[in-house]
Amino acid sequence: MNFPLFIAKTINNNSDTTRKVSKPAIRIATAGVAIGLAVMILSVSIVLGFKHSIRNKVIGFGSHITVADFAALQSTEQYPIEITDSFCTAIKKVKGVKHVQRFANTQGILKTEDDFLGVMLKGVGPEFDTTFIHQSMVEGAIPNFSDKKSQQKILISKTIADKLKLKLGQKLFAYFVNDQGVRTRKFTIAGIYETNLKQFDSQICFTDLYTANKLNGWQPSQCSGAELTVDDFNRLDFTALNVLKKVKGTQDHYGSTYSAATVTELNPQIFSWLDLMDLNVWIILALMVSVAGVTMISGLLIIILERTQMIGLMKALGAKNRQIRHIFLWFSTFIIGKGLIIGNVLGLGLILLQRYTGLVSIDPKIYYVDTVPVEINLPLILALNLATLLICLFVLIAPSYLISHIHPAKSMQYE
Protein backbone atom coordinates (compact mmCIF):
# COMPACT_ATOMS: atom_id res chain seq x y z
CA MET A 1 0.00 0.00 0.00
CA ASN A 2 1.21 3.50 -0.86
CA PHE A 3 1.17 5.15 2.59
CA PRO A 4 1.44 8.82 1.41
CA LEU A 5 -1.30 8.30 -1.20
CA PHE A 6 -3.61 6.65 1.36
CA ILE A 7 -3.22 9.50 3.87
CA ALA A 8 -3.64 12.10 1.11
CA LYS A 9 -6.92 10.48 0.03
CA THR A 10 -8.10 10.43 3.62
CA ILE A 11 -7.35 14.13 4.06
CA ASN A 12 -8.96 14.95 0.73
CA ASN A 13 -12.15 13.03 1.55
CA ASN A 14 -12.36 14.49 5.06
CA SER A 15 -15.36 16.80 5.35
CA ASP A 16 -14.18 18.44 8.59
CA THR A 17 -16.00 21.78 8.70
CA THR A 18 -14.07 23.02 11.71
CA ARG A 19 -11.09 23.98 9.58
CA LYS A 20 -12.24 27.45 8.64
CA VAL A 21 -8.95 28.50 7.03
CA SER A 22 -7.91 25.63 4.79
CA LYS A 23 -11.33 25.13 3.15
CA PRO A 24 -11.40 28.62 1.55
CA ALA A 25 -7.70 28.26 0.68
CA ILE A 26 -8.42 24.99 -1.14
CA ARG A 27 -11.33 26.56 -3.00
CA ILE A 28 -9.20 29.54 -4.03
CA ALA A 29 -6.37 27.26 -5.19
CA THR A 30 -8.80 25.12 -7.18
CA ALA A 31 -10.37 28.23 -8.72
CA GLY A 32 -6.92 29.60 -9.60
CA VAL A 33 -6.00 26.43 -11.49
CA ALA A 34 -9.43 26.22 -13.16
CA ILE A 35 -9.52 29.83 -14.33
CA GLY A 36 -5.89 29.72 -15.42
CA LEU A 37 -6.42 26.60 -17.54
CA ALA A 38 -9.69 27.89 -19.00
CA VAL A 39 -8.02 31.15 -20.06
CA MET A 40 -5.09 29.22 -21.57
CA ILE A 41 -7.43 26.94 -23.55
CA LEU A 42 -9.46 29.93 -24.77
CA SER A 43 -6.33 31.87 -25.73
CA VAL A 44 -4.77 29.02 -27.69
CA SER A 45 -8.06 28.11 -29.40
CA ILE A 46 -8.83 31.68 -30.43
CA VAL A 47 -5.33 32.39 -31.74
CA LEU A 48 -5.25 29.12 -33.68
CA GLY A 49 -8.72 29.79 -35.08
CA PHE A 50 -7.81 33.34 -36.06
CA LYS A 51 -4.48 32.36 -37.65
CA HIS A 52 -6.00 29.52 -39.65
CA SER A 53 -9.00 31.61 -40.74
CA ILE A 54 -6.77 34.37 -42.14
CA ARG A 55 -4.32 31.84 -43.60
CA ASN A 56 -7.11 29.97 -45.39
CA LYS A 57 -8.46 33.20 -46.85
CA VAL A 58 -5.05 34.19 -48.22
CA ILE A 59 -4.59 30.70 -49.66
CA GLY A 60 -8.14 30.81 -51.04
CA PHE A 61 -7.26 33.80 -53.21
CA GLY A 62 -4.18 32.00 -54.49
CA SER A 63 -2.71 28.68 -53.42
CA HIS A 64 -0.08 27.07 -51.23
CA ILE A 65 2.54 27.16 -53.99
CA THR A 66 2.68 29.26 -57.16
CA VAL A 67 4.64 28.17 -60.22
CA ALA A 68 5.32 31.13 -62.50
CA ASP A 69 8.01 32.93 -64.46
CA PHE A 70 11.04 33.73 -62.30
CA ALA A 71 10.83 37.47 -63.11
CA ALA A 72 7.09 37.57 -62.32
CA LEU A 73 7.67 36.16 -58.83
CA GLN A 74 10.22 38.89 -58.12
CA SER A 75 8.08 41.85 -59.26
CA THR A 76 4.52 43.03 -59.87
CA GLU A 77 4.91 42.87 -63.66
CA GLN A 78 3.13 40.21 -65.69
CA TYR A 79 5.32 37.69 -67.51
CA PRO A 80 3.54 34.76 -69.20
CA ILE A 81 4.65 31.17 -68.91
CA GLU A 82 3.54 28.07 -70.79
CA ILE A 83 1.42 25.70 -68.71
CA THR A 84 0.44 22.64 -70.74
CA ASP A 85 -1.59 19.58 -69.77
CA SER A 86 1.58 17.49 -69.64
CA PHE A 87 3.20 20.04 -67.31
CA CYS A 88 0.20 19.92 -64.96
CA THR A 89 0.27 16.12 -64.97
CA ALA A 90 3.97 16.11 -64.10
CA ILE A 91 3.45 18.58 -61.23
CA LYS A 92 0.56 16.54 -59.82
CA LYS A 93 2.94 13.59 -59.45
CA VAL A 94 5.18 15.54 -57.06
CA LYS A 95 4.76 14.14 -53.56
CA GLY A 96 2.49 16.32 -51.43
CA VAL A 97 0.76 18.15 -54.30
CA LYS A 98 -3.02 17.78 -54.15
CA HIS A 99 -4.39 20.03 -56.90
CA VAL A 100 -3.10 22.13 -59.82
CA GLN A 101 -4.94 24.97 -61.55
CA ARG A 102 -3.95 27.63 -64.08
CA PHE A 103 -4.54 31.36 -63.73
CA ALA A 104 -3.94 34.57 -65.65
CA ASN A 105 -3.92 38.05 -64.12
CA THR A 106 -4.50 41.34 -65.87
CA GLN A 107 -5.03 44.85 -64.53
CA GLY A 108 -7.98 46.93 -65.62
CA ILE A 109 -10.50 49.59 -64.72
CA LEU A 110 -14.19 48.98 -63.97
CA LYS A 111 -16.30 51.92 -65.17
CA THR A 112 -19.84 52.95 -64.33
CA GLU A 113 -21.71 56.12 -65.25
CA ASP A 114 -20.69 57.78 -62.00
CA ASP A 115 -17.41 56.24 -60.93
CA PHE A 116 -14.48 53.98 -61.82
CA LEU A 117 -12.12 51.67 -59.94
CA GLY A 118 -8.84 49.94 -60.72
CA VAL A 119 -8.94 46.16 -60.21
CA MET A 120 -6.97 42.98 -60.79
CA LEU A 121 -8.89 40.64 -63.05
CA LYS A 122 -8.01 37.01 -62.33
CA GLY A 123 -8.82 34.54 -65.07
CA VAL A 124 -9.34 30.91 -64.05
CA GLY A 125 -10.05 27.75 -66.01
CA PRO A 126 -12.48 24.84 -65.62
CA GLU A 127 -10.14 23.14 -63.10
CA PHE A 128 -10.47 26.08 -60.70
CA ASP A 129 -11.29 24.96 -57.14
CA THR A 130 -14.37 27.00 -56.22
CA THR A 131 -14.61 25.79 -52.59
CA PHE A 132 -13.29 28.97 -50.98
CA ILE A 133 -15.22 31.40 -53.20
CA HIS A 134 -18.38 29.32 -52.84
CA GLN A 135 -18.17 29.66 -49.04
CA SER A 136 -17.74 33.43 -49.40
CA MET A 137 -20.61 34.07 -51.83
CA VAL A 138 -23.12 36.73 -50.83
CA GLU A 139 -25.28 36.84 -53.95
CA GLY A 140 -25.50 35.06 -57.28
CA ALA A 141 -23.58 31.99 -58.39
CA ILE A 142 -20.15 31.04 -59.68
CA PRO A 143 -20.19 30.68 -63.49
CA ASN A 144 -18.57 27.77 -65.30
CA PHE A 145 -15.20 29.31 -66.08
CA SER A 146 -13.75 28.25 -69.43
CA ASP A 147 -10.40 28.36 -71.22
CA LYS A 148 -11.99 27.93 -74.68
CA LYS A 149 -14.47 30.81 -74.95
CA SER A 150 -15.58 33.95 -73.14
CA GLN A 151 -18.87 34.10 -71.28
CA GLN A 152 -18.43 37.80 -70.43
CA LYS A 153 -19.29 37.07 -66.80
CA ILE A 154 -17.49 38.36 -63.74
CA LEU A 155 -17.39 37.79 -59.98
CA ILE A 156 -16.80 40.91 -57.89
CA SER A 157 -16.45 41.49 -54.16
CA LYS A 158 -19.03 43.24 -52.00
CA THR A 159 -16.41 45.94 -51.33
CA ILE A 160 -16.16 46.72 -55.07
CA ALA A 161 -19.95 46.48 -55.49
CA ASP A 162 -20.50 48.99 -52.68
CA LYS A 163 -17.87 51.42 -54.00
CA LEU A 164 -19.28 51.41 -57.54
CA LYS A 165 -22.92 50.91 -56.44
CA LEU A 166 -23.24 47.74 -58.49
CA LYS A 167 -25.89 45.03 -58.22
CA LEU A 168 -26.17 41.39 -59.20
CA GLY A 169 -26.94 40.93 -62.90
CA GLN A 170 -25.91 44.47 -63.77
CA LYS A 171 -23.72 45.04 -66.84
CA LEU A 172 -20.60 47.20 -66.72
CA PHE A 173 -17.66 48.11 -68.91
CA ALA A 174 -14.03 47.30 -68.12
CA TYR A 175 -11.02 48.95 -69.78
CA PHE A 176 -7.58 47.40 -70.13
CA VAL A 177 -4.42 49.19 -71.21
CA ASN A 178 -1.33 47.26 -72.34
CA ASP A 179 1.06 46.97 -75.29
CA GLN A 180 -1.88 46.22 -77.58
CA GLY A 181 -3.51 49.51 -76.68
CA VAL A 182 -6.84 50.10 -74.94
CA ARG A 183 -9.28 47.20 -74.90
CA THR A 184 -12.88 47.30 -73.74
CA ARG A 185 -15.01 44.45 -72.43
CA LYS A 186 -18.62 44.39 -71.30
CA PHE A 187 -19.22 42.08 -68.35
CA THR A 188 -22.31 40.84 -66.52
CA ILE A 189 -22.05 40.53 -62.75
CA ALA A 190 -22.72 36.83 -62.11
CA GLY A 191 -22.01 36.87 -58.39
CA ILE A 192 -20.79 38.89 -55.43
CA TYR A 193 -18.47 37.49 -52.77
CA GLU A 194 -17.18 38.78 -49.42
CA THR A 195 -14.18 37.47 -47.46
CA ASN A 196 -13.59 40.56 -45.24
CA LEU A 197 -9.92 40.44 -46.25
CA LYS A 198 -9.72 44.04 -47.43
CA GLN A 199 -6.36 43.72 -49.18
CA PHE A 200 -7.91 41.25 -51.64
CA ASP A 201 -11.60 42.20 -51.61
CA SER A 202 -10.79 45.72 -52.80
CA GLN A 203 -8.86 44.48 -55.85
CA ILE A 204 -9.64 41.02 -57.17
CA CYS A 205 -12.38 40.08 -59.60
CA PHE A 206 -12.77 36.64 -61.20
CA THR A 207 -13.50 35.82 -64.83
CA ASP A 208 -12.68 33.00 -67.24
CA LEU A 209 -9.12 32.16 -68.25
CA TYR A 210 -9.85 32.68 -71.95
CA THR A 211 -10.83 36.34 -71.45
CA ALA A 212 -7.81 37.20 -69.29
CA ASN A 213 -5.49 35.48 -71.77
CA LYS A 214 -6.92 37.40 -74.73
CA LEU A 215 -6.71 40.71 -72.90
CA ASN A 216 -3.01 40.09 -72.24
CA GLY A 217 -2.40 39.10 -75.85
CA TRP A 218 -0.92 35.74 -74.88
CA GLN A 219 -0.96 32.39 -76.65
CA PRO A 220 -3.64 29.82 -75.62
CA SER A 221 -1.05 27.69 -73.77
CA GLN A 222 0.34 30.69 -71.86
CA CYS A 223 -0.89 32.09 -68.55
CA SER A 224 0.44 33.84 -65.45
CA GLY A 225 1.24 30.52 -63.82
CA ALA A 226 -0.10 27.49 -61.98
CA GLU A 227 -1.45 27.38 -58.44
CA LEU A 228 -0.73 24.27 -56.39
CA THR A 229 -2.59 23.04 -53.32
CA VAL A 230 -0.74 20.71 -50.93
CA ASP A 231 -2.01 17.86 -48.76
CA ASP A 232 -0.40 19.10 -45.53
CA PHE A 233 0.36 22.75 -44.78
CA ASN A 234 2.85 21.70 -42.11
CA ARG A 235 4.95 20.13 -44.88
CA LEU A 236 4.59 23.12 -47.20
CA ASP A 237 8.31 23.94 -47.34
CA PHE A 238 9.23 20.32 -48.04
CA THR A 239 6.68 20.05 -50.86
CA ALA A 240 7.69 23.44 -52.28
CA LEU A 241 11.32 22.30 -52.36
CA ASN A 242 10.31 19.21 -54.37
CA VAL A 243 8.32 21.36 -56.79
CA LEU A 244 11.21 23.80 -57.13
CA LYS A 245 13.59 20.95 -57.92
CA LYS A 246 11.16 19.82 -60.62
CA VAL A 247 10.80 23.19 -62.37
CA LYS A 248 13.84 25.29 -61.42
CA GLY A 249 15.91 26.39 -64.40
CA THR A 250 13.51 24.88 -66.94
CA GLN A 251 12.43 27.08 -69.85
CA ASP A 252 9.32 26.90 -71.99
CA HIS A 253 9.08 27.28 -75.76
CA TYR A 254 8.94 31.07 -75.45
CA GLY A 255 12.10 31.38 -73.33
CA SER A 256 10.39 31.99 -69.97
CA THR A 257 12.08 30.43 -66.93
CA TYR A 258 10.02 28.41 -64.45
CA SER A 259 10.27 29.01 -60.72
CA ALA A 260 8.13 28.48 -57.62
CA ALA A 261 7.26 30.34 -54.41
CA THR A 262 5.12 29.54 -51.37
CA VAL A 263 2.21 31.61 -50.09
CA THR A 264 4.32 32.69 -47.10
CA GLU A 265 7.02 34.03 -49.43
CA LEU A 266 4.51 35.91 -51.58
CA ASN A 267 2.68 37.41 -48.57
CA PRO A 268 5.42 37.92 -45.94
CA GLN A 269 3.69 40.83 -44.17
CA ILE A 270 0.51 38.89 -43.43
CA PHE A 271 2.27 35.77 -42.20
CA SER A 272 4.79 37.74 -40.13
CA TRP A 273 1.86 39.50 -38.47
CA LEU A 274 0.20 36.14 -37.75
CA ASP A 275 3.44 34.77 -36.28
CA LEU A 276 3.57 37.68 -33.83
CA MET A 277 0.40 36.32 -32.21
CA ASP A 278 2.38 33.37 -30.89
CA LEU A 279 4.28 35.76 -28.62
CA ASN A 280 0.99 36.95 -27.11
CA VAL A 281 -0.03 33.35 -26.44
CA TRP A 282 3.25 32.56 -24.67
CA ILE A 283 2.84 35.64 -22.47
CA ILE A 284 -0.72 34.64 -21.53
CA LEU A 285 0.35 31.05 -20.81
CA ALA A 286 3.19 32.24 -18.58
CA LEU A 287 0.89 34.60 -16.66
CA MET A 288 -1.84 32.02 -16.14
CA VAL A 289 0.59 29.29 -15.03
CA SER A 290 2.13 31.81 -12.62
CA VAL A 291 -1.28 32.65 -11.17
CA ALA A 292 -2.10 28.96 -10.75
CA GLY A 293 1.31 28.27 -9.18
CA VAL A 294 1.07 31.16 -6.69
CA THR A 295 -2.43 30.19 -5.56
CA MET A 296 -1.32 26.57 -5.12
CA ILE A 297 1.73 27.63 -3.07
CA SER A 298 -0.46 29.82 -0.85
CA GLY A 299 -2.98 27.03 -0.41
CA LEU A 300 -0.31 24.43 0.42
CA LEU A 301 1.33 26.70 3.02
CA ILE A 302 -2.01 27.30 4.74
CA ILE A 303 -2.81 23.58 4.70
CA ILE A 304 0.61 22.69 6.17
CA LEU A 305 0.28 25.31 8.93
CA GLU A 306 -3.19 24.07 9.83
CA ARG A 307 -2.04 20.45 9.81
CA THR A 308 1.04 21.12 11.97
CA GLN A 309 -0.19 18.95 14.84
CA MET A 310 -0.97 16.08 12.47
CA ILE A 311 2.50 16.38 10.96
CA GLY A 312 4.10 16.35 14.42
CA LEU A 313 2.08 13.26 15.43
CA MET A 314 3.08 11.41 12.27
CA LYS A 315 6.74 12.30 12.86
CA ALA A 316 6.49 11.05 16.42
CA LEU A 317 5.08 7.76 15.10
CA GLY A 318 8.09 7.35 12.80
CA ALA A 319 7.00 8.95 9.51
CA LYS A 320 9.86 10.46 7.58
CA ASN A 321 9.91 14.00 6.16
CA ARG A 322 9.97 12.58 2.63
CA GLN A 323 6.79 10.59 3.26
CA ILE A 324 4.99 13.59 4.72
CA ARG A 325 6.10 15.77 1.80
CA HIS A 326 4.67 13.16 -0.56
CA ILE A 327 1.39 13.20 1.37
CA PHE A 328 0.93 16.91 0.77
CA LEU A 329 2.13 16.69 -2.83
CA TRP A 330 -0.45 13.97 -3.47
CA PHE A 331 -3.06 16.12 -1.74
CA SER A 332 -2.05 19.05 -3.99
CA THR A 333 -2.39 16.75 -7.01
CA PHE A 334 -6.03 16.11 -6.07
CA ILE A 335 -6.66 19.86 -5.79
CA ILE A 336 -4.92 20.55 -9.12
CA GLY A 337 -6.79 17.66 -10.76
CA LYS A 338 -10.14 19.06 -9.63
CA GLY A 339 -9.12 22.48 -10.94
CA LEU A 340 -8.09 20.96 -14.29
CA ILE A 341 -11.45 19.22 -14.67
CA ILE A 342 -13.36 22.44 -13.94
CA GLY A 343 -11.03 24.42 -16.23
CA ASN A 344 -11.52 22.00 -19.11
CA VAL A 345 -15.29 22.02 -18.75
CA LEU A 346 -15.34 25.83 -18.57
CA GLY A 347 -12.85 26.43 -21.40
CA LEU A 348 -14.20 23.82 -23.82
CA GLY A 349 -17.77 24.80 -23.00
CA LEU A 350 -17.14 28.43 -23.97
CA ILE A 351 -15.31 27.35 -27.13
CA LEU A 352 -18.15 25.08 -28.25
CA LEU A 353 -20.70 27.81 -27.45
CA GLN A 354 -18.80 30.28 -29.63
CA ARG A 355 -18.18 27.75 -32.37
CA TYR A 356 -21.82 26.75 -32.85
CA THR A 357 -23.55 30.03 -32.01
CA GLY A 358 -21.07 32.77 -32.96
CA LEU A 359 -22.09 34.50 -29.76
CA VAL A 360 -19.18 36.97 -29.70
CA SER A 361 -19.00 39.09 -32.84
CA ILE A 362 -16.20 41.46 -33.88
CA ASP A 363 -15.67 44.15 -36.49
CA PRO A 364 -14.63 42.43 -39.77
CA LYS A 365 -13.08 45.66 -41.05
CA ILE A 366 -10.46 45.41 -38.29
CA TYR A 367 -10.13 41.68 -37.62
CA TYR A 368 -11.08 40.30 -41.10
CA VAL A 369 -13.69 37.98 -39.56
CA ASP A 370 -17.17 38.79 -38.25
CA THR A 371 -17.16 36.42 -35.25
CA VAL A 372 -14.38 35.29 -32.93
CA PRO A 373 -12.93 32.17 -34.62
CA VAL A 374 -12.08 29.19 -32.42
CA GLU A 375 -10.37 25.89 -33.10
CA ILE A 376 -10.24 22.83 -30.86
CA ASN A 377 -6.83 21.16 -30.89
CA LEU A 378 -7.11 18.16 -28.54
CA PRO A 379 -3.38 17.24 -28.45
CA LEU A 380 -2.53 20.83 -27.55
CA ILE A 381 -5.23 20.96 -24.86
CA LEU A 382 -3.91 17.72 -23.36
CA ALA A 383 -0.40 19.19 -23.42
CA LEU A 384 -1.68 22.29 -21.57
CA ASN A 385 -3.26 20.08 -18.89
CA LEU A 386 -0.12 18.03 -18.43
CA ALA A 387 2.15 21.09 -18.38
CA THR A 388 -0.08 22.86 -15.83
CA LEU A 389 -0.07 19.80 -13.56
CA LEU A 390 3.69 19.30 -13.75
CA ILE A 391 4.61 22.97 -13.33
CA CYS A 392 2.26 23.42 -10.36
CA LEU A 393 3.68 20.32 -8.67
CA PHE A 394 7.22 21.46 -9.39
CA VAL A 395 6.72 24.85 -7.73
CA LEU A 396 5.22 23.09 -4.71
CA ILE A 397 8.34 21.03 -4.03
CA ALA A 398 10.19 23.88 -2.28
CA PRO A 399 7.27 24.88 0.03
CA SER A 400 6.81 21.22 0.99
CA TYR A 401 10.28 21.25 2.58
CA LEU A 402 8.85 23.43 5.38
CA ILE A 403 7.67 20.15 6.87
CA SER A 404 11.26 19.30 7.84
CA HIS A 405 11.29 22.34 10.18
CA ILE A 406 8.28 21.15 12.16
CA HIS A 407 9.42 19.56 15.45
CA PRO A 408 7.10 16.91 16.96
CA ALA A 409 7.51 18.10 20.56
CA LYS A 410 6.71 21.73 19.75
CA SER A 411 3.82 20.94 17.41
CA MET A 412 2.03 18.68 19.95
CA GLN A 413 2.69 20.51 23.20
CA TYR A 414 -0.74 22.17 23.16
CA GLU A 415 -2.59 19.03 22.12
Side-chain angles (χ1 to χ4, degrees), residues 69 88 155 277 330 341 367 384 413:
D69 181 83
C88 292
L155 283 180
M277 294 182 182
W330 273 115
I341 293 173
Y367 299 101
L384 285 175
Q413 61 184 338

PDB file of all heavy atoms in Angstrom, residues 69 88 155 277 330 341 367 384 413:
ATOM      1  N   ASP A  69       6.731  32.469 -63.923  1.00  0.00           N
ATOM      2  CA  ASP A  69       8.005  32.932 -64.465  1.00  0.00           C
ATOM      3  C   ASP A  69       8.850  33.524 -63.329  1.00  0.00           C
ATOM      4  O   ASP A  69       8.326  34.180 -62.431  1.00  0.00           O
ATOM      5  CB  ASP A  69       7.759  33.984 -65.546  1.00  0.00           C
ATOM      6  CG  ASP A  69       9.050  34.480 -66.165  1.00  0.00           C
ATOM      7  OD1 ASP A  69       9.567  33.816 -67.081  1.00  0.00           O
ATOM      8  OD2 ASP A  69       9.556  35.523 -65.716  1.00  0.00           O
ATOM      9  N   CYS A  88       1.067  20.071 -66.127  1.00  0.00           N
ATOM     10  CA  CYS A  88       0.197  19.921 -64.962  1.00  0.00           C
ATOM     11  C   CYS A  88       0.215  18.482 -64.447  1.00  0.00           C
ATOM     12  O   CYS A  88       0.238  18.241 -63.228  1.00  0.00           O
ATOM     13  CB  CYS A  88      -1.234  20.335 -65.312  1.00  0.00           C
ATOM     14  SG  CYS A  88      -1.447  22.099 -65.629  1.00  0.00           S
ATOM     15  N   LEU A 155     -17.093  37.820 -61.411  1.00  0.00           N
ATOM     16  CA  LEU A 155     -17.386  37.794 -59.981  1.00  0.00           C
ATOM     17  C   LEU A 155     -16.683  38.979 -59.338  1.00  0.00           C
ATOM     18  O   LEU A 155     -15.484  39.176 -59.543  1.00  0.00           O
ATOM     19  CB  LEU A 155     -16.867  36.508 -59.337  1.00  0.00           C
ATOM     20  CG  LEU A 155     -17.651  35.207 -59.529  1.00  0.00           C
ATOM     21  CD1 LEU A 155     -16.940  34.077 -58.804  1.00  0.00           C
ATOM     22  CD2 LEU A 155     -19.069  35.339 -59.030  1.00  0.00           C
ATOM     23  N   MET A 277       1.428  36.719 -33.175  1.00  0.00           N
ATOM     24  CA  MET A 277       0.399  36.325 -32.210  1.00  0.00           C
ATOM     25  C   MET A 277       0.896  35.229 -31.274  1.00  0.00           C
ATOM     26  O   MET A 277       0.411  35.096 -30.150  1.00  0.00           O
ATOM     27  CB  MET A 277      -0.854  35.841 -32.950  1.00  0.00           C
ATOM     28  CG  MET A 277      -1.542  36.930 -33.732  1.00  0.00           C
ATOM     29  SD  MET A 277      -3.035  36.341 -34.523  1.00  0.00           S
ATOM     30  CE  MET A 277      -3.520  37.854 -35.367  1.00  0.00           C
ATOM     31  N   TRP A 330       0.699  14.725  -2.950  1.00  0.00           N
ATOM     32  CA  TRP A 330      -0.449  13.966  -3.467  1.00  0.00           C
ATOM     33  C   TRP A 330      -1.753  14.738  -3.234  1.00  0.00           C
ATOM     34  O   TRP A 330      -2.622  14.801  -4.112  1.00  0.00           O
ATOM     35  CB  TRP A 330      -0.535  12.600  -2.780  1.00  0.00           C
ATOM     36  CG  TRP A 330       0.273  11.516  -3.430  1.00  0.00           C
ATOM     37  CD1 TRP A 330       1.340  10.860  -2.910  1.00  0.00           C
ATOM     38  CD2 TRP A 330       0.041  10.956  -4.733  1.00  0.00           C
ATOM     39  NE1 TRP A 330       1.819   9.927  -3.801  1.00  0.00           N
ATOM     40  CE2 TRP A 330       1.034   9.961  -4.934  1.00  0.00           C
ATOM     41  CE3 TRP A 330      -0.877  11.195  -5.736  1.00  0.00           C
ATOM     42  CZ2 TRP A 330       1.119   9.217  -6.104  1.00  0.00           C
ATOM     43  CZ3 TRP A 330      -0.800  10.452  -6.915  1.00  0.00           C
ATOM     44  CH2 TRP A 330       0.190   9.475  -7.090  1.00  0.00           C
ATOM     45  N   ILE A 341     -10.143  19.687 -14.169  1.00  0.00           N
ATOM     46  CA  ILE A 341     -11.448  19.223 -14.672  1.00  0.00           C
ATOM     47  C   ILE A 341     -12.400  20.409 -14.860  1.00  0.00           C
ATOM     48  O   ILE A 341     -13.050  20.552 -15.909  1.00  0.00           O
ATOM     49  CB  ILE A 341     -12.058  18.183 -13.708  1.00  0.00           C
ATOM     50  CG1 ILE A 341     -11.212  16.904 -13.705  1.00  0.00           C
ATOM     51  CG2 ILE A 341     -13.503  17.867 -14.113  1.00  0.00           C
ATOM     52  CD1 ILE A 341     -11.631  15.889 -12.667  1.00  0.00           C
ATOM     53  N   TYR A 367     -10.653  43.012 -37.916  1.00  0.00           N
ATOM     54  CA  TYR A 367     -10.132  41.676 -37.625  1.00  0.00           C
ATOM     55  C   TYR A 367     -10.293  40.700 -38.786  1.00  0.00           C
ATOM     56  O   TYR A 367      -9.900  39.540 -38.674  1.00  0.00           O
ATOM     57  CB  TYR A 367     -10.815  41.111 -36.381  1.00  0.00           C
ATOM     58  CG  TYR A 367     -10.571  41.948 -35.144  1.00  0.00           C
ATOM     59  CD1 TYR A 367     -11.541  42.827 -34.667  1.00  0.00           C
ATOM     60  CD2 TYR A 367      -9.365  41.869 -34.452  1.00  0.00           C
ATOM     61  CE1 TYR A 367     -11.324  43.598 -33.538  1.00  0.00           C
ATOM     62  CE2 TYR A 367      -9.139  42.628 -33.322  1.00  0.00           C
ATOM     63  CZ  TYR A 367     -10.123  43.489 -32.867  1.00  0.00           C
ATOM     64  OH  TYR A 367      -9.910  44.258 -31.742  1.00  0.00           O
ATOM     65  N   LEU A 384      -1.480  21.212 -22.540  1.00  0.00           N
ATOM     66  CA  LEU A 384      -1.675  22.288 -21.568  1.00  0.00           C
ATOM     67  C   LEU A 384      -2.041  21.724 -20.197  1.00  0.00           C
ATOM     68  O   LEU A 384      -1.545  22.201 -19.162  1.00  0.00           O
ATOM     69  CB  LEU A 384      -2.784  23.237 -22.049  1.00  0.00           C
ATOM     70  CG  LEU A 384      -2.441  24.196 -23.187  1.00  0.00           C
ATOM     71  CD1 LEU A 384      -3.680  24.969 -23.611  1.00  0.00           C
ATOM     72  CD2 LEU A 384      -1.347  25.162 -22.767  1.00  0.00           C
ATOM     73  N   GLN A 413       2.666  20.147  21.774  1.00  0.00           N
ATOM     74  CA  GLN A 413       2.694  20.513  23.202  1.00  0.00           C
ATOM     75  C   GLN A 413       1.372  21.122  23.686  1.00  0.00           C
ATOM     76  O   GLN A 413       1.111  21.153  24.871  1.00  0.00           O
ATOM     77  CB  GLN A 413       3.844  21.489  23.468  1.00  0.00           C
ATOM     78  CG  GLN A 413       3.756  22.800  22.709  1.00  0.00           C
ATOM     79  CD  GLN A 413       4.959  23.697  22.939  1.00  0.00           C
ATOM     80  OE1 GLN A 413       5.651  23.551  23.944  1.00  0.00           O
ATOM     81  NE2 GLN A 413       5.226  24.607  22.019  1.00  0.00           N
TER      82      GLN A 413
END
